[in-house]
Coordinates of all heavy atoms in Angstrom, one line a residue:
K789 N 7.1 -16.8 4.5 CA 8.2 -16.0 4.3 C 8.7 -16.1 2.9 O 9.2 -15.1 2.3 CB 9.3 -16.3 5.3 CG 10.4 -15.3 5.4 CD 11.3 -15.6 6.6 CE 11.2 -14.5 7.6 NZ 12.2 -14.5 8.6
Q790 N 8.7 -17.3 2.3 CA 9.1 -17.5 1.0 C 8.2 -16.8 0.0 O 8.6 -16.3 -1.0 CB 9.2 -19.0 0.7 CG 10.3 -19.7 1.4 CD 10.2 -21.2 1.2 OE1 9.2 -21.7 0.7 NE2 11.3 -21.9 1.6
E791 N 6.9 -16.9 0.3 CA 5.9 -16.2 -0.5 C 6.2 -14.7 -0.6 O 6.1 -14.1 -1.7 CB 4.5 -16.4 0.0 CG 4.1 -17.8 0.0 CD 2.8 -18.1 0.8 OE1 2.4 -17.1 1.5 OE2 2.3 -19.2 0.8
L792 N 6.5 -14.1 0.6 CA 6.8 -12.7 0.6 C 8.1 -12.4 -0.2 O 8.2 -11.4 -0.8 CB 7.0 -12.2 2.1 CG 7.0 -10.8 2.3 CD1 5.7 -10.1 1.8 CD2 7.1 -10.5 3.8
M793 N 9.1 -13.2 -0.1 CA 10.3 -13.0 -0.8 C 10.1 -13.0 -2.3 O 10.6 -12.2 -3.1 CB 11.4 -14.1 -0.5 CG 12.0 -14.0 0.9 SD 13.0 -12.5 1.1 CE 14.3 -12.8 -0.1
R794 N 9.2 -14.0 -2.8 CA 8.9 -14.0 -4.2 C 8.1 -12.7 -4.6 O 8.3 -12.2 -5.7 CB 8.0 -15.2 -4.5 CG 8.9 -16.5 -4.7 CD 8.1 -17.6 -5.1 NE 7.7 -18.4 -3.9 CZ 6.6 -18.9 -3.7 NH1 5.6 -18.9 -4.5 NH2 6.4 -19.5 -2.5
L795 N 7.3 -12.2 -3.7 CA 6.5 -11.0 -4.0 C 7.4 -9.8 -4.1 O 7.1 -8.9 -4.9 CB 5.4 -10.9 -2.9 CG 4.2 -10.1 -3.3 CD1 3.5 -10.6 -4.5 CD2 3.2 -10.1 -2.1
V796 N 8.4 -9.8 -3.2 CA 9.4 -8.6 -3.2 C 10.0 -8.5 -4.6 O 10.2 -7.3 -5.1 CB 10.4 -8.8 -2.1 CG1 11.6 -7.8 -2.3 CG2 9.8 -8.6 -0.8
E797 N 10.3 -9.6 -5.3 CA 10.9 -9.5 -6.6 C 10.0 -9.0 -7.7 O 10.4 -8.6 -8.7 CB 11.4 -10.9 -6.9 CG 12.5 -11.4 -6.0 CD 12.8 -12.8 -6.2 OE1 12.2 -13.5 -7.0 OE2 13.8 -13.3 -5.5
R798 N 8.7 -9.1 -7.4 CA 7.7 -8.8 -8.5 C 7.1 -7.4 -8.3 O 6.5 -6.9 -9.3 CB 6.5 -9.8 -8.4 CG 7.0 -11.2 -8.8 CD 5.9 -12.2 -8.6 NE 4.6 -11.9 -9.1 CZ 3.5 -12.4 -8.7 NH1 3.5 -13.3 -7.7 NH2 2.4 -12.0 -9.2
V799 N 7.3 -6.7 -7.2 CA 6.7 -5.4 -7.0 C 7.5 -4.3 -7.8 O 8.7 -4.5 -8.0 CB 6.6 -4.9 -5.5 CG1 5.6 -5.8 -4.8 CG2 8.0 -5.0 -4.9
P800 N 6.8 -3.3 -8.3 CA 7.5 -2.3 -9.2 C 8.5 -1.4 -8.5 O 9.5 -1.0 -9.1 CB 6.3 -1.5 -9.7 CG 5.2 -1.7 -8.8 CD 5.4 -3.0 -8.2
I801 N 8.3 -1.0 -7.2 CA 9.2 -0.1 -6.5 C 10.0 -1.0 -5.6 O 9.5 -1.7 -4.7 CB 8.4 1.0 -5.8 CG1 7.6 1.8 -6.7 CG2 9.4 1.9 -5.0 CD1 6.6 2.7 -6.1
P802 N 11.4 -0.9 -5.7 CA 12.2 -1.8 -4.8 C 12.0 -1.4 -3.3 O 11.8 -0.3 -2.9 CB 13.6 -1.4 -5.2 CG 13.5 -0.6 -6.5 CD 12.2 -0.1 -6.6
V803 N 12.1 -2.5 -2.5 CA 11.9 -2.3 -1.0 C 13.3 -2.4 -0.4 O 14.0 -3.3 -0.6 CB 11.0 -3.4 -0.5 CG1 10.8 -3.3 1.0 CG2 9.6 -3.4 -1.2
K804 N 13.6 -1.4 0.4 CA 15.0 -1.3 1.0 C 15.1 -2.1 2.3 O 16.1 -2.6 2.6 CB 15.3 0.2 1.2 CG 15.4 1.0 0.0 CD 15.8 2.4 0.3 CE 15.8 3.2 -1.0 NZ 16.0 4.7 -0.8
E805 N 14.0 -2.2 3.0 CA 14.0 -2.9 4.3 C 14.1 -4.4 4.1 O 13.8 -4.9 3.0 CB 12.7 -2.6 5.1 CG 12.5 -1.1 5.4 CD 11.6 -0.4 4.4 OE1 11.1 -1.1 3.6 OE2 11.5 0.8 4.5
G806 N 14.5 -5.0 5.1 CA 14.5 -6.5 5.1 C 13.1 -7.1 5.2 O 12.2 -6.4 5.6
V807 N 12.9 -8.3 4.7 CA 11.6 -8.9 4.7 C 11.0 -9.1 6.1 O 9.8 -9.2 6.3 CB 11.7 -10.2 3.9 CG1 10.3 -10.9 3.8 CG2 12.2 -10.0 2.5
D808 N 11.9 -9.2 7.1 CA 11.5 -9.4 8.4 C 10.8 -8.2 9.1 O 10.1 -8.3 10.1 CB 12.7 -9.8 9.3 CG 13.3 -11.1 8.8 OD1 12.5 -12.0 8.2 OD2 14.5 -11.4 9.0
E809 N 11.0 -7.0 8.5 CA 10.5 -5.8 9.0 C 9.0 -5.7 8.7 O 8.6 -6.0 7.6 CB 11.1 -4.6 8.4 CG 12.6 -4.5 8.6 CD 13.0 -4.0 10.0 OE1 12.2 -3.2 10.6 OE2 14.0 -4.4 10.5
P810 N 8.1 -5.3 9.7 CA 6.7 -5.2 9.4 C 6.4 -4.1 8.4 O 5.5 -4.2 7.6 CB 6.1 -4.8 10.8 CG 7.1 -5.2 11.8 CD 8.4 -5.2 11.1
S811 N 7.2 -3.0 8.4 CA 7.0 -2.0 7.4 C 7.3 -2.5 6.0 O 6.6 -2.1 5.0 CB 7.9 -0.8 7.7 OG 9.2 -1.1 7.7
A812 N 8.2 -3.3 5.8 CA 8.5 -3.9 4.5 C 7.4 -4.8 4.0 O 7.0 -4.7 2.8 CB 9.8 -4.7 4.5
K813 N 6.8 -5.6 4.9 CA 5.7 -6.4 4.5 C 4.5 -5.6 4.1 O 3.9 -5.9 3.1 CB 5.3 -7.3 5.7 CG 4.3 -8.3 5.4 CD 4.0 -9.3 6.5 CE 3.0 -10.3 6.2 NZ 2.8 -11.3 7.3
T814 N 4.2 -4.5 4.9 CA 3.1 -3.6 4.5 C 3.4 -3.0 3.2 O 2.5 -2.9 2.3 CB 3.0 -2.5 5.6 OG1 2.8 -3.2 6.9 CG2 1.8 -1.6 5.3
N815 N 4.6 -2.5 2.9 CA 5.0 -1.9 1.7 C 4.8 -2.8 0.5 O 4.2 -2.5 -0.5 CB 6.4 -1.4 1.8 CG 6.9 -0.7 0.6 OD1 6.3 -0.6 -0.4 ND2 8.1 -0.1 0.7
V816 N 5.3 -4.0 0.6 CA 5.2 -5.0 -0.4 C 3.7 -5.4 -0.7 O 3.3 -5.4 -1.9 CB 6.0 -6.3 -0.1 CG1 5.7 -7.4 -1.1 CG2 7.5 -6.0 -0.1
L817 N 2.9 -5.6 0.3 CA 1.5 -6.0 0.1 C 0.7 -4.9 -0.5 O -0.2 -5.1 -1.3 CB 0.9 -6.5 1.4 CG 1.4 -7.8 1.9 CD1 0.8 -8.1 3.3 CD2 1.1 -8.9 0.9
L818 N 1.0 -3.6 -0.1 CA 0.3 -2.5 -0.7 C 0.7 -2.3 -2.2 O -0.2 -2.1 -3.0 CB 0.6 -1.2 0.1 CG -0.3 0.0 -0.1 CD1 -1.8 -0.4 0.1 CD2 0.0 1.1 0.8
Q819 N 1.9 -2.4 -2.5 CA 2.3 -2.4 -3.9 C 1.7 -3.5 -4.7 O 1.3 -3.3 -5.8 CB 3.9 -2.5 -4.0 CG 4.6 -1.2 -3.6 CD 6.1 -1.3 -4.0 OE1 6.4 -1.5 -5.1 NE2 6.9 -1.2 -3.0
A820 N 1.7 -4.7 -4.1 CA 1.1 -5.8 -4.8 C -0.4 -5.6 -5.1 O -0.9 -6.0 -6.1 CB 1.3 -7.1 -4.0
Y821 N -1.1 -5.0 -4.1 CA -2.5 -4.7 -4.3 C -2.7 -3.7 -5.4 O -3.6 -3.9 -6.3 CB -3.1 -4.2 -2.9 CG -4.5 -3.7 -3.0 CD1 -5.5 -4.7 -3.1 CD2 -4.9 -2.4 -3.1 CE1 -6.8 -4.3 -3.1 CE2 -6.2 -2.0 -3.2 CZ -7.2 -3.0 -3.2 OH -8.5 -2.6 -3.3
I822 N -2.0 -2.6 -5.4 CA -2.1 -1.6 -6.4 C -1.8 -2.1 -7.8 O -2.4 -1.8 -8.8 CB -1.3 -0.3 -6.1 CG1 -1.8 0.3 -4.8 CG2 -1.3 0.7 -7.2 CD1 -1.0 1.5 -4.3
S823 N -0.7 -3.0 -7.8 CA -0.3 -3.6 -9.1 C -1.2 -4.7 -9.6 O -0.9 -5.3 -10.6 CB 1.1 -4.0 -9.0 OG 2.0 -3.0 -8.6
Q824 N -2.1 -5.1 -8.7 CA -3.0 -6.2 -9.0 C -2.3 -7.6 -9.2 O -2.6 -8.3 -10.1 CB -3.9 -5.9 -10.2 CG -4.8 -4.7 -10.0 CD -5.7 -4.4 -11.2 OE1 -5.9 -5.2 -12.0 NE2 -6.2 -3.2 -11.2
L825 N -1.3 -7.8 -8.4 CA -0.6 -9.1 -8.5 C -1.3 -10.1 -7.7 O -2.0 -9.9 -6.8 CB 0.8 -8.9 -7.8 CG 1.8 -7.9 -8.5 CD1 3.1 -7.8 -7.6 CD2 2.1 -8.2 -9.9
K826 N -1.2 -11.4 -8.2 CA -1.9 -12.5 -7.6 C -1.1 -13.0 -6.5 O 0.1 -13.1 -6.6 CB -2.2 -13.6 -8.6 CG -3.0 -13.1 -9.8 CD -4.4 -12.8 -9.4 CE -5.2 -12.4 -10.6 NZ -6.3 -11.5 -10.3
L827 N -1.7 -13.4 -5.4 CA -1.0 -14.0 -4.2 C -1.3 -15.5 -4.2 O -2.3 -16.0 -4.5 CB -1.5 -13.3 -2.9 CG -1.2 -11.8 -2.8 CD1 -1.7 -11.3 -1.5 CD2 0.2 -11.5 -2.9
D828 N -0.3 -16.2 -3.6 CA -0.4 -17.7 -3.5 C -0.9 -18.1 -2.2 O -1.8 -18.9 -2.1 CB 1.0 -18.3 -3.7 CG 1.6 -18.0 -5.1 OD1 0.8 -17.8 -6.0 OD2 2.8 -17.9 -5.2
G829 N -0.5 -17.6 -1.1 CA -0.8 -18.1 0.2 C -2.0 -17.4 0.8 O -2.3 -16.2 0.6
F830 N -2.7 -18.1 1.7 CA -3.9 -17.6 2.3 C -3.5 -16.5 3.4 O -4.2 -15.6 3.6 CB -4.7 -18.7 3.0 CG -5.9 -18.2 3.8 CD1 -7.0 -17.8 3.2 CD2 -5.8 -18.2 5.2 CE1 -8.1 -17.3 3.9 CE2 -6.9 -17.7 5.9 CZ -8.0 -17.3 5.2
S831 N -2.4 -16.8 4.1 CA -2.0 -15.8 5.1 C -1.7 -14.5 4.5 O -2.0 -13.4 5.1 CB -0.8 -16.4 5.9 OG 0.3 -16.5 5.1
L832 N -1.0 -14.4 3.4 CA -0.7 -13.2 2.7 C -1.9 -12.5 2.2 O -2.1 -11.3 2.3 CB 0.3 -13.4 1.6 CG 1.8 -13.5 1.9 CD1 2.6 -13.6 0.7 CD2 2.3 -12.3 2.8
L833 N -2.9 -13.3 1.8 CA -4.1 -12.7 1.2 C -4.9 -12.1 2.4 O -5.5 -11.0 2.2 CB -4.9 -13.9 0.6 CG -6.2 -13.4 -0.2 CD1 -5.7 -12.5 -1.4 CD2 -6.9 -14.6 -0.7
S834 N -5.0 -12.7 3.5 CA -5.7 -12.1 4.6 C -5.0 -10.8 5.1 O -5.6 -9.9 5.5 CB -5.9 -13.1 5.8 OG -4.7 -13.5 6.3
D835 N -3.6 -10.9 5.2 CA -2.9 -9.7 5.5 C -3.1 -8.6 4.6 O -3.2 -7.4 4.9 CB -1.4 -10.0 5.6 CG -1.0 -10.8 6.8 OD1 -1.8 -10.9 7.8 OD2 0.1 -11.4 6.8
M836 N -3.2 -8.9 3.3 CA -3.4 -7.9 2.3 C -4.7 -7.2 2.4 O -4.9 -6.0 2.3 CB -3.2 -8.4 0.8 CG -3.5 -7.4 -0.2 SD -3.5 -8.0 -1.9 CE -1.8 -8.0 -2.2
T837 N -5.7 -8.0 2.7 CA -7.1 -7.4 2.9 C -7.1 -6.5 4.0 O -7.6 -5.3 3.9 CB -8.1 -8.6 3.2 OG1 -8.0 -9.5 2.1 CG2 -9.5 -8.0 3.3
Y838 N -6.5 -6.8 5.1 CA -6.4 -5.9 6.3 C -5.7 -4.7 6.0 O -6.1 -3.6 6.3 CB -5.8 -6.7 7.5 CG -5.6 -5.8 8.7 CD1 -6.7 -5.5 9.5 CD2 -4.3 -5.3 9.0 CE1 -6.5 -4.7 10.6 CE2 -4.2 -4.5 10.1 CZ -5.2 -4.2 10.9 OH -5.1 -3.4 12.0
I839 N -4.5 -4.8 5.3 CA -3.7 -3.6 5.0 C -4.4 -2.7 4.1 O -4.3 -1.5 4.2 CB -2.3 -4.1 4.5 CG1 -1.5 -4.7 5.7 CG2 -1.6 -3.0 3.8 CD1 -0.2 -5.4 5.2
T840 N -5.0 -3.2 3.0 CA -5.6 -2.3 2.0 C -6.8 -1.6 2.6 O -7.0 -0.4 2.3 CB -6.0 -3.1 0.8 OG1 -6.8 -4.2 1.2 CG2 -4.8 -3.6 0.0
Q841 N -7.6 -2.3 3.5 CA -8.7 -1.6 4.1 C -8.2 -0.5 5.0 O -8.7 0.6 5.0 CB -9.6 -2.6 4.9 CG -10.4 -3.5 4.0 CD -11.1 -4.6 4.8 OE1 -10.8 -4.7 6.0 NE2 -11.9 -5.3 4.1
S842 N -7.2 -0.8 5.8 CA -6.6 0.2 6.7 C -5.9 1.3 5.9 O -6.1 2.5 6.3 CB -5.6 -0.4 7.6 OG -6.2 -1.5 8.4
A843 N -5.2 1.0 4.9 CA -4.5 2.0 4.1 C -5.4 3.0 3.5 O -5.2 4.2 3.5 CB -3.6 1.4 3.0
A844 N -6.6 2.6 2.9 CA -7.5 3.5 2.3 C -8.1 4.4 3.4 O -8.2 5.6 3.1 CB -8.6 2.7 1.7
R845 N -8.4 3.9 4.5 CA -8.9 4.8 5.6 C -7.9 5.8 6.1 O -8.2 7.0 6.3 CB -9.4 4.0 6.8 CG -10.8 3.5 6.6 CD -11.3 2.8 7.9 NE -10.2 1.8 8.2 CZ -10.5 0.6 8.6 NH1 -11.7 0.2 8.9 NH2 -9.5 -0.3 8.8
L846 N -6.7 5.3 6.3 CA -5.6 6.1 6.8 C -5.3 7.3 5.8 O -5.1 8.4 6.2 CB -4.3 5.3 7.1 CG -4.4 4.5 8.4 CD1 -3.2 3.6 8.4 CD2 -4.4 5.4 9.6
M847 N -5.2 6.9 4.5 CA -4.9 7.9 3.5 C -6.0 9.0 3.5 O -5.7 10.2 3.3 CB -4.6 7.3 2.2 CG -3.4 6.5 2.1 SD -1.9 7.3 2.6 CE -1.6 8.4 1.3
R848 N -7.2 8.6 3.6 CA -8.3 9.6 3.6 C -8.2 10.5 4.8 O -8.5 11.7 4.7 CB -9.7 8.9 3.5 CG -10.0 8.4 2.1 CD -11.4 7.9 2.0 NE -11.8 6.8 2.8 CZ -11.6 5.5 2.4 NH1 -11.2 5.2 1.2 NH2 -12.0 4.5 3.2
C849 N -7.9 9.9 6.0 CA -7.7 10.7 7.2 C -6.6 11.7 7.1 O -6.7 12.9 7.4 CB -7.5 9.8 8.4 SG -8.9 8.8 8.9
I850 N -5.5 11.2 6.5 CA -4.3 12.1 6.3 C -4.7 13.2 5.4 O -4.3 14.4 5.6 CB -3.1 11.3 5.8 CG1 -2.6 10.4 6.9 CG2 -2.0 12.2 5.3 CD1 -1.5 9.4 6.5
H851 N -5.4 12.9 4.3 CA -5.9 13.9 3.4 C -6.7 15.0 4.1 O -6.5 16.2 3.8 CB -6.6 13.3 2.2 CG -7.0 14.2 1.2 ND1 -8.3 14.7 1.0 CD2 -6.3 14.8 0.2 CE1 -8.3 15.5 0.0 NE2 -7.1 15.6 -0.5
E852 N -7.6 14.6 4.9 CA -8.4 15.6 5.7 C -7.5 16.5 6.5 O -7.8 17.7 6.6 CB -9.4 14.8 6.5 CG -10.5 14.1 5.8 CD -11.5 15.1 5.1 OE1 -11.8 16.2 5.7 OE2 -11.9 14.9 4.0
I853 N -6.6 15.9 7.2 CA -5.7 16.6 8.1 C -4.9 17.7 7.3 O -4.8 18.8 7.7 CB -4.8 15.7 8.9 CG1 -5.6 14.9 9.9 CG2 -3.7 16.5 9.6 CD1 -4.8 13.7 10.5
V854 N -4.3 17.2 6.2 CA -3.5 18.1 5.3 C -4.4 19.2 4.8 O -3.9 20.3 4.7 CB -2.9 17.2 4.2 CG1 -2.3 18.1 3.1 CG2 -1.8 16.3 4.8
L855 N -5.6 18.9 4.4 CA -6.5 20.0 3.9 C -6.8 21.0 4.9 O -6.8 22.2 4.6 CB -7.8 19.3 3.4 CG -7.8 18.7 2.0 CD1 -9.2 18.1 1.7 CD2 -7.5 19.8 0.9
K856 N -7.0 20.6 6.1 CA -7.4 21.5 7.2 C -6.2 22.4 7.6 O -6.3 23.5 8.0 CB -7.8 20.8 8.5 CG -9.2 20.2 8.3 CD -9.8 19.6 9.6 CE -11.1 18.9 9.2 NZ -12.2 19.3 10.0
R857 N -5.0 21.9 7.4 CA -3.8 22.7 7.6 C -3.4 23.6 6.5 O -2.6 24.4 6.6 CB -2.6 21.7 7.9 CG -2.8 20.9 9.1 CD -1.7 21.0 10.1 NE -2.0 20.2 11.3 CZ -1.2 19.6 12.0 NH1 0.1 19.6 11.7 NH2 -1.5 19.0 13.1
G858 N -4.0 23.4 5.3 CA -3.8 24.2 4.2 C -2.6 23.9 3.4 O -2.1 24.8 2.7
W859 N -2.1 22.7 3.4 CA -0.9 22.3 2.7 C -1.4 21.8 1.3 O -1.6 20.6 1.1 CB -0.1 21.3 3.4 CG 0.4 21.8 4.7 CD1 0.6 23.1 5.1 CD2 0.7 21.0 5.9 NE1 1.1 23.2 6.4 CE2 1.1 21.9 6.9 CE3 0.7 19.7 6.2 CZ2 1.5 21.5 8.2 CZ3 1.1 19.2 7.4 CH2 1.5 20.2 8.4
A860 N -1.5 22.6 0.3 CA -2.1 22.3 -1.0 C -1.2 21.2 -1.7 O -1.8 20.2 -2.3 CB -2.3 23.5 -1.8
A861 N 0.1 21.4 -1.8 CA 0.9 20.5 -2.6 C 0.9 19.1 -2.0 O 0.7 18.1 -2.7 CB 2.3 21.0 -2.6
L862 N 0.9 19.0 -0.6 CA 0.9 17.7 0.0 C -0.5 17.1 -0.1 O -0.6 15.9 -0.3 CB 1.3 17.9 1.5 CG 1.5 16.6 2.3 CD1 2.5 15.7 1.6 CD2 1.9 16.9 3.7
A863 N -1.5 17.9 -0.1 CA -2.9 17.4 -0.2 C -3.1 16.8 -1.6 O -3.7 15.7 -1.7 CB -3.9 18.6 0.0
E864 N -2.5 17.3 -2.6 CA -2.6 16.7 -3.9 C -1.9 15.4 -4.0 O -2.4 14.4 -4.6 CB -2.0 17.7 -5.0 CG -2.1 17.1 -6.4 CD -1.4 18.0 -7.4 OE1 -0.6 18.9 -7.0 OE2 -1.7 17.8 -8.6
R865 N -0.7 15.3 -3.4 CA 0.0 14.0 -3.4 C -0.8 12.9 -2.6 O -0.9 11.8 -3.1 CB 1.4 14.2 -2.7 CG 2.4 14.8 -3.6 CD 3.7 14.8 -3.0 NE 4.7 15.4 -3.9 CZ 6.0 15.5 -3.7 NH1 6.4 15.0 -2.5 NH2 6.8 16.1 -4.5
V866 N -1.3 13.3 -1.5 CA -2.0 12.3 -0.7 C -3.3 11.9 -1.4 O -3.7 10.7 -1.4 CB -2.3 12.9 0.7 CG1 -3.2 12.0 1.5 CG2 -1.1 13.2 1.5
L867 N -4.0 12.9 -2.0 CA -5.2 12.5 -2.8 C -4.8 11.6 -3.9 O -5.6 10.6 -4.2 CB -5.8 13.8 -3.4 CG -7.1 13.6 -4.2 CD1 -8.2 12.9 -3.3 CD2 -7.6 14.9 -4.7
N868 N -3.7 11.8 -4.6 CA -3.2 10.8 -5.6 C -3.0 9.4 -5.1 O -3.3 8.4 -5.7 CB -2.0 11.3 -6.3 CG -2.3 12.5 -7.2 OD1 -3.4 12.7 -7.7 ND2 -1.3 13.3 -7.5
F869 N -2.4 9.3 -3.9 CA -2.3 8.0 -3.2 C -3.6 7.4 -2.9 O -3.8 6.2 -3.1 CB -1.4 8.1 -1.9 CG 0.0 8.2 -2.2 CD1 0.8 9.3 -1.7 CD2 0.7 7.2 -2.9 CE1 2.1 9.4 -1.9 CE2 2.1 7.3 -3.1 CZ 2.8 8.4 -2.6
C870 N -4.6 8.2 -2.5 CA -5.9 7.7 -2.2 C -6.5 7.1 -3.5 O -7.1 6.0 -3.4 CB -6.8 8.8 -1.7 SG -6.4 9.4 0.0
K871 N -6.4 7.8 -4.5 CA -6.9 7.3 -5.8 C -6.2 6.0 -6.3 O -6.9 5.1 -6.8 CB -6.7 8.4 -6.9 CG -7.6 9.6 -6.7 CD -7.4 10.6 -7.8 CE -8.1 11.9 -7.7 NZ -7.8 12.8 -8.7
M872 N -4.9 6.0 -6.1 CA -4.2 4.8 -6.4 C -4.7 3.5 -5.7 O -4.8 2.5 -6.3 CB -2.7 4.9 -6.2 CG -2.0 5.8 -7.1 SD -0.2 5.9 -6.6 CE 0.2 7.5 -7.3
I873 N -4.9 3.7 -4.4 CA -5.4 2.6 -3.6 C -6.8 2.2 -4.0 O -7.1 1.0 -4.1 CB -5.3 3.0 -2.1 CG1 -3.8 3.1 -1.7 CG2 -6.0 1.9 -1.2 CD1 -3.6 3.7 -0.3
D874 N -7.7 3.2 -4.2 CA -9.1 2.9 -4.5 C -9.2 2.3 -5.9 O -10.0 1.4 -6.1 CB -9.9 4.2 -4.4 CG -10.2 4.7 -3.0 OD1 -10.0 3.8 -2.1 OD2 -10.5 5.9 -2.8
R875 N -8.5 2.8 -6.8 CA -8.6 2.3 -8.2 C -7.7 1.2 -8.6 O -7.8 0.6 -9.7 CB -8.4 3.5 -9.2 CG -9.5 4.5 -9.0 CD -9.2 5.7 -9.9 NE -10.2 6.8 -9.7 CZ -10.0 8.0 -10.1 NH1 -9.0 8.3 -10.9 NH2 -10.9 8.9 -9.9
R876 N -6.7 0.9 -7.7 CA -5.7 -0.1 -8.0 C -4.9 0.1 -9.2 O -4.7 -0.8 -10.1 CB -6.4 -1.5 -8.0 CG -6.9 -1.9 -6.6 CD -7.5 -3.3 -6.7 NE -6.4 -4.3 -6.7 CZ -6.6 -5.6 -6.7 NH1 -7.8 -6.1 -6.6 NH2 -5.6 -6.4 -6.8
M877 N -4.6 1.4 -9.4 CA -3.8 1.8 -10.6 C -2.7 2.7 -10.1 O -2.9 3.5 -9.2 CB -4.7 2.6 -11.6 CG -5.7 1.7 -12.2 SD -6.9 2.7 -13.3 CE -5.8 3.6 -14.3
W878 N -1.5 2.6 -10.8 CA -0.4 3.5 -10.5 C -0.6 4.8 -11.1 O -1.1 5.0 -12.1 CB 0.9 2.9 -10.9 CG 1.4 1.8 -10.0 CD1 1.3 0.5 -10.3 CD2 1.9 1.9 -8.7 NE1 1.8 -0.3 -9.3 CE2 2.1 0.6 -8.2 CE3 2.2 2.9 -7.8 CZ2 2.7 0.3 -7.0 CZ3 2.7 2.7 -6.6 CH2 2.9 1.4 -6.2

């Protein structure tokens, strides 16, 4: 929990949820991955691996759904998120 608190202070986009929320942990770890921040603990490192693998797949699936529905503006945004996750760049 302390490791996550230190990580919350280092991510570029502020997290509104409390650290106890699963969505906040996912948010922080995904931002840390894209920002290429180094992690201290093994538990956070294993969580980050799981989240990043899942996030890449989920974003590609969302992109496919958005394309099939014909929502061009949203498709561009989702594609940009996919690129951010794959390339680890903002």
Side-chain angles (χ1 to χ4, degrees):
K789 199 171 241 193
Q790 292 174 345
E791 297 166 355
L792 192 59
M793 287 297 293
R794 279 185 265 141
L795 201 55
V796 166
E797 296 168 358
R798 295 172 47 203
V799 294
I801 301 170
V803 179
K804 295 178 182 176
E805 300 94 7
V807 181
D808 298 332
E809 302 281 330
S811 60
K813 185 175 183 179
T814 304
N815 185 350
V816 168
L817 288 175
L818 195 54
Q819 286 189 57
Y821 176 76
I822 294 171
S823 300
Q824 299 181 16
L825 299 176
K826 302 293 182 206
L827 297 181
D828 298 331
F830 177 73
S831 63
L832 281 182
L833 190 61
S834 63
D835 287 344
M836 179 186 274
T837 303
Y838 176 76
I839 286 170
T840 53
Q841 289 174 349
S842 299
R845 276 187 306 222
L846 284 171
M847 291 307 287
R848 285 191 294 271
C849 291
I850 291 171
H851 184 254
E852 290 291 323
I853 291 169
V854 168
L855 279 177
K856 288 188 187 234
R857 299 231 174 149
W859 299 334
L862 188 56
E864 182 183 15
R865 282 190 181 179
V866 173
L867 181 61
N868 286 336
F869 280 123
C870 290
K871 289 179 185 177
M872 287 179 204
I873 293 169
D874 288 339
R875 296 178 185 166
R876 294 182 73 175
M877 292 173 51
W878 286 105

